[in-house]
Amino acid sequence: MTSIEFGKMCRPYNIKYREIFGYVPCRDDYSCSQGEYYAALQMSVEKKIE
C-alpha cells in the first residue's frame, strides 16, 4: 500500500483521535507496520484509550 492510500485510510480515525485526545499520533514515532499502526489507531478510537 502506498503512503497516500495509507493516509486516506487513516484520515477519518485521525480526525476522531484528535477530537478525543487533542493531537494526532505520528506513524513515524512507532516501530510497527502500517497494518499494525492502523489496527492500533482503530482500537484507540473505538475504546478511547491512547
Side-chain angles (χ1 to χ4, degrees):
M1 159 182 346
T2 67
S3 60
I4 293 172
E5 292 170 335
F6 179 70
K8 286 181 181 180
M9 199 168 74
C10 289
R11 183 174 166 78
Y13 287 102
N14 283 337
I15 292 169
K16 290 176 186 175
Y17 193 98
R18 184 178 57 223
E19 290 172 357
I20 297 167
F21 301 113
Y23 71 99
V24 176
C26 179
R27 156 84 175 83
D28 296 333
D29 291 342
Y30 302 96
S31 59
C32 59
S33 69
Q34 287 179 338
E36 292 170 329
Y37 177 83
Y38 183 72
L41 182 62
Q42 282 181 309
M43 188 171 23
S44 287
V45 169
E46 290 169 5
K47 295 185 178 184
K48 296 184 179 172
I49 299 172
E50 282 187 89

